[in-house]
Amino acid sequence: MYHHLSGRLTHKTPALAVVDVAGVGFEVTCPLSTFEKLPPEGSNVLLLTHLIVREDGFRLFGFLTSEERELFRMLINVNGIGPMLATAVLSGTSVETVKQAVMTGDTALLKKIRGIGGKTAERMVLELKGPISRLGLHYSATGALPPGDRGALDAVAGLVSLGFPRLKAEEAVAAARKKLGTDAGVEGLVREALKST
């Protein structure tokens, strides 16, 4: 199994990147979320990878963050979701949004992703809720925190690690975010949240 590729980015499109590693060009299928953050062609890049081996050949998938790759790996274990559909999911929305939709059972949100129908959305909720919960990945169980607010989600994770129930931690951090504003960091949010718990 290839863990990552590190080399020169020689070509990129919204679905594919070519990374030159010691003179060998590796074609890597990437979700749109990764493509949008790739550096200019000719720059050095490090992509976390997942290799799919099939009878008709090999395909390498690449991601800029471990969260993207982890969700990809969970998605391809869901009945009815192959690697290309998993890539489409990551291209259609953020990792945090998928996690939040799964944890809150929001199948309507999942069905908005191209290629995801009602039955597949239900299977995603059923089969991914446990893995996401066990891994302690960032998500908002109450919907009180916007999916993109990584600082607030990190603050919630910090409170949970201190023994606070997740729902109570989210409510406290949401109140702290509202009071302190968007410039407050994780430490400030945790301090403020602790005052109200």
Side-chain angles (χ1 to χ4, degrees):
M1 179 67 73
Y2 297 108
H3 180 271
H4 67 271
L5 286 178
S6 179
R8 188 168 57 89
L9 180 66
T10 60
H11 180 69
K12 64 177 180 176
T13 70
L16 185 76
V18 178
V19 181
D20 185 304
V21 182
V24 179
F26 288 86
E27 283 190 353
V28 187
T29 300
C30 300
L32 197 56
S33 55
T34 288
F35 166 77
E36 290 172 342
K37 298 171 190 168
L38 286 174
E41 292 179 0
S43 303
N44 289 329
V45 68
L46 187 147
L47 289 175
L48 301 175
T49 56
H50 183 88
L51 179 65
I52 300 287
V53 180
R54 294 277 168 84
E55 290 180 8
D56 58 347
F58 298 75
R59 181 167 247 171
L60 201 56
F61 291 81
F63 313 90
L64 279 177
T65 68
S66 57
E67 289 84 2
E68 286 178 321
R69 182 171 64 177
E70 190 62 52
L71 182 57
F72 174 84
R73 288 175 170 172
M74 285 193 285
L75 285 167
I76 61 176
N77 284 317
V78 174
N79 186 25
I81 297 184
M84 295 311 294
L85 182 51
T87 303
V89 170
L90 288 168
S91 296
T93 189
S94 70
V95 172
E96 288 81 9
T97 298
V98 174
K99 293 175 193 171
Q100 181 173 327
V102 167
M103 295 308 297
T104 58
D106 192 348
T107 56
L109 179 58
L110 295 172
K111 285 191 292 183
K112 291 179 181 178
I113 302 169
R114 184 176 178 147
I116 300 296
K119 289 184 179 179
T120 304
E122 289 171 7
R123 280 197 300 268
M124 286 173 68
V125 170
L126 182 66
E127 296 181 33
L128 294 181
K129 188 173 280 192
I132 288 175
S133 179
R134 282 193 300 274
L135 289 172
L137 299 175
H138 290 82
Y139 65 89
S140 174
T142 63
L145 301 172
D149 192 345
R150 186 61 185 263
L153 292 170
D154 282 340
V156 169
L159 289 173
V160 170
S161 72
L162 293 173
F164 290 90
R166 183 167 196 96
L167 297 181
K168 187 175 181 182
E170 280 197 23
E171 290 169 359
V173 170
R177 174 61 85 201
K178 187 174 181 181
K179 181 177 180 180
L180 300 178
T182 56
D183 292 334
V186 175
E187 190 176 337
L189 289 171
V190 170
R191 273 207 210 100
E192 184 62 33
L194 285 171
K195 293 177 184 177
S196 62
T197 54

